[in-house]
Amino acid sequence: MENVAKPWPALWSLVVGFFMILIDTTIVSVANPRIMEGLNTDINAVIWVTSAYLLAYAVPLLITGRLGDRFGPKNLYLIGLVVFTLASLWCGLSGNVTMLIAARAVQGFGAAMMTPQTMAVITRIFPPDRRGAAMGLWGATAGMAVLVGPILGGVLVDGLGWEWIFFVNVPIGIVAFILVTRFVPKLTTHSHTFDIPGVVLSALGMFLLVFGIQEGQTYKWGVVTGFITVWGLIIAGLVVLALFVAWQWRLERRGGEPLLPLGLFKDRNFSLGNSTIMAVGFTVTAFPLPTIFYYQVVRGLTPTQSALLMIPMAVISGGLAPVVGKLIDRANPRWFAAFGLVCLSGALFWTASMLNPDTPIWMFLLPSALQGVANAFIWGPVSNATTRNLEPRQAGAGSGVFNTTRQVGAVLGSAAIAALIQARLAAELPAAPAGAPVGEASMTGTLPEFLHAGFSTAMSQSILLPACAILLGAVIALFFAKPKSVDGWGSKPTAARTDTGVPSADLASGSGNAARQ
C-alpha cells in the first residue's frame, strides 16, 4: 500500500493529536484560579476539573489498547480524536463547574482511545531495528508536552481567558484529523472474541484504585461517604485487579483470548520497562508541584513567569531526543535510559538544594537544562526497550499496558506529593496563619515573609521523594536485557486480514520494507 511506504508522515500525523492530549493533563493547573473566579466555584470543585480528566483517561487504557487491535488503530484513534475535540469545545463553552467537569471526563475518555494507538502504530509500521528514531520522536513529544502545558496555559490564560486552553484544541484537532486520514495506513485487524468479564473487572478495579489514590488527600484519607473509605476503595481496587489477573491467567491457560495477555510479561524488558515508566510517571507528575509553589509563593512569580523557567528543559529535550532515538538502534537502550534517569534524579536533588528564599532565580535554569538532557534520554529508550520484542499483533495490548502503568504512576505521584507537601508544611510552618492550606497560599500570594524560609524548606524536602523514585527507576533500567535479533520480523503470513482487505502478510512485509526506504 502506498501509505504504508511512508511511515514517517504517518507518525508525524499521530504526534499532533498525541501532543495535544498530553498537554491537557497539565495545562489546566495554571488556569485553576481563573476558572474558580469565572465559574464562581471553590477549590474542591475545581480540583475535579483535572481529576475527572485523569480518571477518565487512566481507567480505560487497557481496554482501548485491545480495541485498537480489534477494530484497527487508525479507526479508534480517529473516533477518539473526534470525541476529544468536541469535548474540548464543550469545555470552553461550559457555564458552570459541573458542566466543565462532565466535559473533561468525556475529553479524558477520548484521550484514552487515542493514546495506545500511537505506540501501537509505531510498533507495527517500524521494524524493531529501525524503531529507535520513531520512539525518540514519540518520547520527545511526551516529554515536551509535560513541560509545554504550563507555559502555554499561562500565556493563554493571561492573554485570552481560561476558555482558550480548551478552544485552542479545536483547530488542532481538525488539522490532526485531516493528517491522520491522509497519511496513517489502515493496519491488520484480528477478529478476536472480546473478553467481557476482563473488561468489567479491569475497568472496575482501575476505577476503584485510581479514584482512591487520586482523591485520598481530598477526603483526608478517611471517609468518602457512609461506610465507604478511601483505603476501602484502594483495597477493593487491588482485590478486583487481582481477580482480573486470575481470570486472565485462567482464560489464557484454556486457550482463550484474554484482554491482557499475561505472556507479555514473560519478556524481561517488557516487565522491567513497565516498572521503569511507572517511576517516570510518578516523578514527572510529582516534581513540578513543589517547585511551582516555591516560585509563586516565595518568589512572587506569575504562573507564566514560573512556567518559563522550564524553557531550557523543553528546548534541550525537544532537540536532543531525536538524536538519541537514532542512536538507540545501534546500542543497548539500557545505558541511555539509565543515564537519563540518573540525570533527572541529579537535577531534582540539585533543585532541592537551591530552594531557599535568596537563590538567584536565573540559577534554576541550570537544573532545568539538565532535566532537558534527562528527558531526551528517558522516553525514547525506555519505550523502545519495552516494546521492541513485541509481535505486531500484540502492539495494542502492550501499548495499553505501558500507558496504563505510566498513568497509574502519575496518579501515585500526584497523591504522594500532595500528602508529603502538607506534612512538611505542618512540620516547618507551625506558626502558619490559621493553618492556611498550601493551595490557598499559592493562589493569594499572601504568605508572610517570615514564613518564606520554612516554606522553602518544606518544598525542598518534598522534591526528595520524586528524586529518589526516579533513582529507583534507573536501577531497574540497568537490568534491561540486550535486544533480541529482529530477523524475519513482520514476514510471517497469518490468516488475519486488514480492514481494507489486504492480507496481513503483504502489509507486514510492506511496512517493514517501507520503513527501510
Side-chain angles (χ1 to χ4, degrees), residues 62 195 197-199 201-202 237-263 265:
L62 272 181
D195 178 18
V199 170
L201 289 171
S202 67
L238 291 172
V239 170
V240 173
L241 287 176
L243 291 174
F244 166 70
V245 172
W247 168 252
Q248 298 299 285
W249 178 77
R250 181 172 179 269
L251 195 61
E252 199 163 34
R253 284 197 66 187
R254 290 187 166 191
E257 297 180 278
L259 178 67
L260 172 60
L262 296 178
F265 291 95

Side-chain angles (χ1 to χ4, degrees), residues 168-349:
V168 73
N169 291 335
V170 177
I172 296 175
I174 293 171
V175 170
F177 188 91
I178 294 170
L179 290 174
V180 171
T181 302
R182 171 67 181 86
F183 292 110
V184 176
K186 291 188 175 183
L187 300 173
T188 307
T189 59
H190 306 284
S191 298
H192 299 315
T193 56
F194 210 61
D195 178 18
I196 301 300
V199 170
V200 174
L201 289 171
S202 67
L204 179 61
M206 283 295 299
F207 176 82
L208 292 171
L209 180 63
V210 173
F211 181 90
I213 295 170
Q214 188 170 286
E215 300 305 317
Q217 193 61 39
T218 303
Y219 296 101
K220 303 186 187 306
W221 301 96
V223 176
V224 177
T225 181
F227 64 90
I228 300 174
T229 65
V230 169
W231 286 108
L233 290 173
I234 292 173
I235 293 170
L238 291 172
V239 170
V240 173
L241 287 176
L243 291 174
F244 166 70
V245 172
W247 168 252
Q248 298 299 285
W249 178 77
R250 181 172 179 269
L251 195 61
E252 199 163 34
R253 284 197 66 187
R254 290 187 166 191
E257 297 180 278
L259 178 67
L260 172 60
L262 296 178
L264 291 174
F265 291 95
K266 292 179 181 178
D267 181 78
R268 173 175 164 181
N269 285 359
F270 185 81
S271 297
L272 293 174
N274 276 280
S275 300
T276 304
I277 202 64
M278 182 176 286
V280 172
F282 182 102
T283 300
V284 299
T285 304
F287 86 79
L289 194 60
T291 54
I292 291 294
F293 278 150
Y294 164 82
Y295 292 148
Q296 295 184 18
V297 175
V298 177
R299 309 309 296 268
L301 303 184
T302 67
T304 302
Q305 288 171 335
S306 56
L308 288 175
L309 289 172
M310 300 180 184
I311 281 182
M313 180 164 41
V315 171
I316 293 174
S317 175
L320 195 56
V323 177
V324 174
K326 292 178 181 178
L327 295 175
I328 59 178
D329 282 330
R330 307 170 191 171
N332 192 330
R334 73 177 172 190
W335 304 118
F336 294 90
F339 173 77
L341 293 162
V342 169
C343 282
L344 182 53
S345 181
L348 296 185
F349 280 116

Side-chain angles (χ1 to χ4, degrees), residues 461-507:
Q461 293 167 346
S462 299
I463 290 180
L464 298 179
L465 175 63
C468 292
I470 204 65
L471 195 58
L472 176 61
V475 173
I476 295 172
L478 285 173
F479 290 92
F480 278 133
K482 184 178 179 181
K484 295 178 182 178
S485 171
V486 297
D487 292 341
W489 181 89
S491 62
K492 294 180 180 180
T494 70
R497 300 180 67 84
T498 70
D499 46 4
T500 57
V502 178
S504 62
D506 295 342
L507 181 55

Side-chain angles (χ1 to χ4, degrees), residues 44 54 57 87 95-96 107 138 156 226 262 278 299 377 394 409 418-419 438 474:
N44 290 328
L54 292 176
Y57 187 5
N96 58 67
Q107 195 184 39
W138 183 90
L156 290 173
L262 296 178
M278 182 176 286
R299 309 309 296 268
F377 279 85
Q394 298 173 321
V438 63

